[in-house]
Amino acid sequence: MIQAEKSLNIKFEDFIHTLENEDLFGKTKRVDTVLASDILTGNEGLGMELSHKVKSVSKIKEKNGEEHSVIMLGSNSYLNLSTHPKVIKGAQKALKKYGYGMGAVSNYAGITALHKELEQRIAKFYNTEDCIVFPSGYGTNVGVISALCNQGDVIINDSANHASIFDGCRLSGADIKVFPHGDMRYLKRILDKLPKKQTGRLIITDGVFSMDGDMAKLDEITALAEAYNCRVMVDDAHGVGIVGKTGRGTAEHFNVQSKVDLNVGMLSKGPGGLGGYCAASKEVVQYLRLYARTYFFSTAMPAPIIGGLNEVFKLLENDKAGRKRLLKNTEYLKKRLLENGLDIAHSESAIVPVMIYDEQKLFMLYDELRKAGVYVNIVTYPAVRRKECRLRLCAMKDLTTKQIDTAVRIISEKVYKYEIYKTKAV
């Protein structure tokens, strides 16, 4: 508890700005001093080394060099596609033919038949005319938004959208409006007040929200967009391959695929690879190839990753990526957490938050869980408000019920040790 008391007055934002009469690198020294002390900051479990490929039980190396096994509840590769035999074989085949890197941007000499195949597969997956693949997921949102929007346009965001979306909005120079998470009445209020002459309108939302695990109300959003002449962009990073009748995402879940103008997704989550994409009309994709700076000025994705991703989308196209098994594991994880009295908020996806509400207890809990053999993600400011801090869990497809039971037992024991909830469930 001494560690917690020492860290009460230390906040993330304390180290963002240069102090008066301080050298530019002064803040880096201040951070180093804190991290080298015995104060818990929540950084203790960040940057752990993996000793082998990610799977349901993984081996990690602590910063002191100690290795131990953990039940993996902190990987975005929840479909285990990064280790799928067909995916690995596809990557190996591409490596042998094209080498490990492209050596040029996509618009020059960085494209192969494999790259074109992947874009065609993704376009077909979303039933759109074309698709553009970016070498970075973060750069996908930044590139798409800043290319299509400019001064005089207006972008309306859900407050819980990913940081890369907001960064793209800022870079675009467009007017930015924000509505409280999931509040459709507030969104309508914003749309009601838009000047008629401001016709460049884009509503952006995550499909599955990365910190809460809930879904955007795409049926209502697309209806409002139609009524107010707005375009719609959905970042379905955590929905692709999982949400929807055939795993085609949040728009499929709400049956509004034809009403989404920009289908953005990440190849680093369910697909288990790297990069991102935007599936849209032929004209929009053509424009992005010329005006999206994060595409035009970035070296193309390495062929081995593209080769693996082509195999991923073959599996996704036929709904053979293990989605049903993952959903079964996810529902079992949620059920066991609830039975143990833990607060999982309003999760509707493979992302399961465990609400902690106390940042200092969160830091201690996070550190103890890892050492006890359960790896989870920690979420606090600036990703969410401190009073809404949490653990974030992602069940993997290959987890067994026994492993889930063990993980839930350990989490529950640690949560109640710190009296995070008033009473323990029977």
Side-chain angles (χ1 to χ4, degrees):
M1 299 302 289
I2 295 176
Q3 290 177 320
E5 291 171 3
K6 286 184 179 180
S7 59
L8 282 176
N9 296 320
I10 296 175
K11 297 181 175 62
F12 176 88
E13 58 268 35
D14 292 340
F15 306 96
I16 294 175
H17 300 289
T18 304
L19 301 178
E20 187 176 353
N21 298 319
E22 183 182 48
D23 177 78
L24 180 64
F25 294 165
K27 51 184 171 282
T28 70
K29 294 180 179 178
R30 287 187 280 123
V31 169
D32 182 66
T33 299
V34 172
L35 294 181
S37 71
D38 62 348
I39 297 173
L40 284 176
T41 63
N43 288 283
E44 290 72 24
L46 304 184
M48 294 292 100
E49 290 183 29
L50 280 169
S51 299
H52 50 64
K53 56 190 176 185
V54 178
K55 50 187 181 180
S56 57
V57 175
S58 298
K59 183 170 285 189
I60 62 171
K61 182 185 287 187
E62 297 279 351
K63 293 177 181 178
N64 62 7
E66 178 188 339
E67 287 190 353
H68 63 97
S69 295
V70 291
I71 296 172
M72 181 52 69
L73 292 174
S75 173
N76 288 325
S77 184
Y78 24 65
L79 285 166
N80 294 95
L81 291 176
S82 60
T83 59
H84 194 288
K86 289 184 178 180
V87 176
I88 292 175
K89 186 176 180 180
Q92 289 173 332
K93 186 176 178 180
L95 174 65
K96 186 175 181 180
K97 183 172 183 178
Y98 295 105
Y100 89 106
M102 299 313 302
V105 298
S106 298
N107 280 347
Y108 291 163
I111 290 296
T112 69
L114 289 176
H115 290 76
K116 292 181 179 179
E117 178 186 345
L118 179 61
E119 291 179 335
Q120 290 166 2
R121 285 190 179 281
I122 297 174
K124 180 182 177 183
F125 189 75
Y126 285 98
N127 194 29
T128 60
E129 292 179 338
D130 207 350
C131 173
I132 177 173
V133 169
F134 290 76
S136 157
Y138 202 98
T140 300
N141 278 327
V142 170
V144 169
I145 298 166
S146 62
L148 291 173
C149 302
N150 212 313
Q151 291 182 355
D153 297 324
V154 60
I155 306 170
I156 307 101
N157 281 286
D158 188 295
S159 63
N161 281 349
H162 192 269
S164 58
I165 293 175
F166 283 104
D167 285 353
C169 291
R170 294 186 186 99
L171 187 61
S172 74
D175 294 335
I176 304 170
K177 308 291 184 181
V178 181
F179 59 92
H181 180 45
D183 191 334
M184 296 297 99
R185 283 188 293 182
Y186 201 104
L187 170 58
K188 186 179 185 302
R189 209 173 305 151
I190 290 174
L191 295 172
D192 279 331
K193 294 180 181 179
L194 293 182
K196 289 186 178 180
K197 64 180 180 179
Q198 198 168 34
T199 56
R201 303 175 176 186
L202 178 64
I203 300 174
I204 305 180
T205 181
D206 282 8
V208 172
F209 290 92
S210 59
M211 297 302 153
D212 295 285
D214 59 337
M215 288 190 283
K217 300 168 184 174
L218 283 188
D219 50 347
E220 297 181 54
I221 290 173
T222 52
L224 285 169
E226 190 172 0
Y228 289 87
N229 298 314
C230 301
R231 296 294 186 177
V232 176
M233 171 178 158
V234 178
D235 174 3
D236 217 10
H238 291 279
V240 61
I242 300 165
V243 175
K245 186 178 179 180
T246 64
R248 280 167 169 76
T250 314
E252 183 185 48
H253 175 82
F254 287 100
N255 195 29
V256 294
Q257 298 100 308
S258 63
K259 297 182 180 181
V260 175
D261 301 289
L262 302 168
N263 297 278
V264 171
M266 303 302 142
L267 297 164
S268 52
K269 305 298 190 289
L274 180 69
Y277 58 85
C278 179
S281 69
K282 182 179 178 181
E283 290 80 9
V284 166
V285 170
Q286 178 177 261
Y287 187 89
L288 291 174
R289 293 192 196 282
L290 298 174
Y291 289 90
R293 294 168 69 86
T294 54
Y295 177 84
F296 196 100
F297 293 102
S298 295
T299 297
M301 283 244 282
I305 296 174
I306 296 293
L309 286 167
N310 271 313
E311 297 303 318
V312 164
F313 273 87
K314 288 178 185 178
L315 294 167
L316 294 180
E317 285 167 11
N318 299 301
D319 200 10
K320 293 183 178 180
R323 178 177 62 91
K324 292 178 182 177
R325 183 174 173 185
L326 172 64
L327 292 177
K328 185 177 179 181
N329 272 354
T330 301
E331 289 309 308
Y332 185 72
L333 173 63
K334 293 177 183 179
K335 174 176 174 287
R336 296 294 292 119
L337 290 169
L338 288 171
E339 286 174 350
N340 280 268
L342 303 185
D343 182 351
I344 63 171
H346 307 290
S347 174
E348 301 174 89
S349 66
I351 295 172
V352 185
V354 174
M355 306 304 294
I356 303 302
Y357 302 113
D358 184 312
E359 193 176 57
Q360 304 310 315
K361 291 181 179 180
L362 175 71
F363 294 164
M364 293 184 285
L365 180 64
Y366 176 57
D367 198 43
E368 286 199 25
L369 284 175
R370 188 186 71 258
K371 292 173 180 176
V374 179
Y375 193 92
V376 298
N377 293 316
I378 186 173
V379 181
T380 187
Y381 183 87
V384 297
R385 293 184 295 176
R386 287 190 180 86
K387 65 180 182 179
E388 294 179 352
C389 66
R390 66 200 67 179
L391 302 171
R392 194 185 75 159
L393 283 54
C394 294
M396 297 188 79
K397 181 194 71 177
D398 288 350
L399 281 169
T400 65
T401 54
K402 184 177 180 180
Q403 289 166 343
I404 294 174
D405 284 338
T406 299
V408 171
R409 175 181 57 77
I410 294 171
I411 293 170
S412 301
E413 288 174 356
K414 299 299 181 182
V415 164
Y416 288 108
K417 171 185 174 181
Y418 288 107
E419 299 180 340
I420 291 166
Y421 305 131
K422 296 295 182 182
T423 58
K424 183 172 181 178
V426 178

